[in-house]
Amino acid sequence: MRLSGAWGLDEGEGLPPVEPVRRELSTDPPPNQVEFDVSQLSGWDSGVLSFLVQVDDLCTERGVATDRASLPEGLRRMVELATAVPETKDAKDNSGKPSGMVARLGAATQSASEGGGEMVTFMGEVTASIGRMFRGQARFRMVDLWSFVQDCGVQALPIVTLISFLVGLILAFVGAVQLEQFGAQIYVANLVGIAMAREMGAMMAAIIMAGRTGAAFAAQLGTMRVNQEIDALQVMGLPPMDFLVLPRVIALCLMMPLLTLYADLVGIIGGGVVGAAMLDLTPVVYWDQTVYGVTLNDFTTGLIKASVFGMLIAFSGCLRGMQCGNSASAVGDAATSAVVTGIVMIIVADATFTVVFNIIGF
């Protein structure tokens, strides 16, 4: 086989096709050996490497030997490197993916079942870690805990302030449009106060933290998984659940009730802005009506929800981070999955709390 001229991917005519080689190798009887004449080869790049690898594959299929002794040294070494490690079996095989609707449904069911088992196992490990903490046997650094407390608390205040203020403002505006028709503008304060204390304060703070902190937890643990730092902790005898997961769970469970109280206050202030601007309510009247309409049970309901929401956000973020694969794209998938899982858990938990509190009259 004579290679002449300039062989490169950027050449105007492109690389010659491999079909003539296939026809020559398909003759009967086939040749015993393929040799190369590169005396007239003026230039080459990775394009000729791709061509030679295809030729080598054809020769291997037909049991024909190849003699690369005449190739330039650099090109010969590149071909040997490219053919030294065989392609992984089924590396390009997509036949394992289900194609029919029933097969896809079965695969989805199996995946959901495996995911549920992993979630239950992870929940048990977190519970055991919390038990070791109460017994004074958990191994984690207090400096890590305070760092997560700061990240989940003080550093989250700006975004919580903005969202909560706007939510309170929107609630007051929607309520004012309806209540003004009946001359009951004063009850906008009751509407905003009860809605923020019982539902929206905890809900909006939790959704914000799921998108902000839950994704961060998943990305941090996923990156540690990719860098094999979690494996290193296990080799050193440090349980990852205690050292990595437990401080994050404690920090978020402690900060969520405080963030919820702050969100309630900011949302009420947002409603007061609408009351003063649209309904001519003075701040004193608005505040007195809020104090009269909102009870301690309303705030207690929101705080109970906030504590559970914090646990769920930390749980989902750490779970997806610990399940992360060993690639950069897997870290992104883990962060996305953590946000989705956290928000779904928050909505389900809130609906459950609403039904239960309504039944018991709380």
Side-chain angles (χ1 to χ4, degrees), residues 165 168-173 188 192 266-276 286:
F165 181 83
L169 189 146
I170 293 170
L171 288 174
F173 181 80
V188 168
V192 175
V266 174
I268 292 173
I269 293 174
V273 171
V274 173
Y286 184 90

Side-chain angles (χ1 to χ4, degrees), residues 60-234:
T60 302
E61 291 177 3
R62 289 161 175 78
V64 179
T66 55
D67 184 6
R68 310 190 190 104
S70 60
L71 294 176
E73 181 181 0
L75 180 58
R76 185 174 66 253
R77 294 175 61 183
M78 291 178 66
V79 174
E80 291 175 353
L81 182 63
T83 58
V85 180
E87 185 177 18
T88 304
K89 184 180 180 181
D90 299 332
K92 299 179 180 179
D93 184 16
N94 295 324
S95 60
K97 296 182 179 180
S99 56
M101 183 181 68
V102 177
R104 290 198 299 270
L105 180 61
T109 303
Q110 182 180 3
S111 177
S113 177
E114 293 175 353
E118 293 177 357
M119 185 174 296
V120 172
T121 301
F122 187 83
M123 185 179 300
E125 293 176 350
V126 172
T127 304
S129 181
I130 294 175
R132 288 193 295 271
M133 179 193 69
F134 284 117
R135 295 194 304 268
Q137 299 175 353
R139 303 177 62 185
F140 63 92
R141 300 188 305 175
M142 290 301 298
V143 64
D144 293 337
L145 175 60
W146 296 124
S147 175
F148 293 132
V149 166
Q150 180 181 3
D151 179 71
C152 299
V154 177
Q155 295 183 5
L157 288 180
I159 184 64
V160 172
T161 301
L162 175 63
I163 300 301
S164 300
F165 181 83
L166 294 178
V167 168
L169 189 146
I170 293 170
L171 288 174
F173 181 80
V174 173
V177 172
Q178 299 300 320
L179 294 175
E180 199 172 18
Q181 300 177 10
F182 305 98
Q185 301 94 322
I186 189 65
Y187 293 107
V188 168
N190 302 58
L191 172 67
V192 175
I194 295 174
M196 291 299 301
R198 293 188 68 93
E199 292 289 343
M200 299 306 297
M203 175 71 71
M204 296 311 301
I207 292 177
I208 293 169
M209 297 305 290
R212 178 188 178 276
T213 305
F217 286 173
Q220 292 166 1
L221 296 180
T223 304
M224 295 182 70
R225 174 70 70 184
V226 172
N227 294 335
Q228 298 182 344
E229 296 177 34
I230 296 179
D231 297 334
L233 287 175
Q234 292 175 332

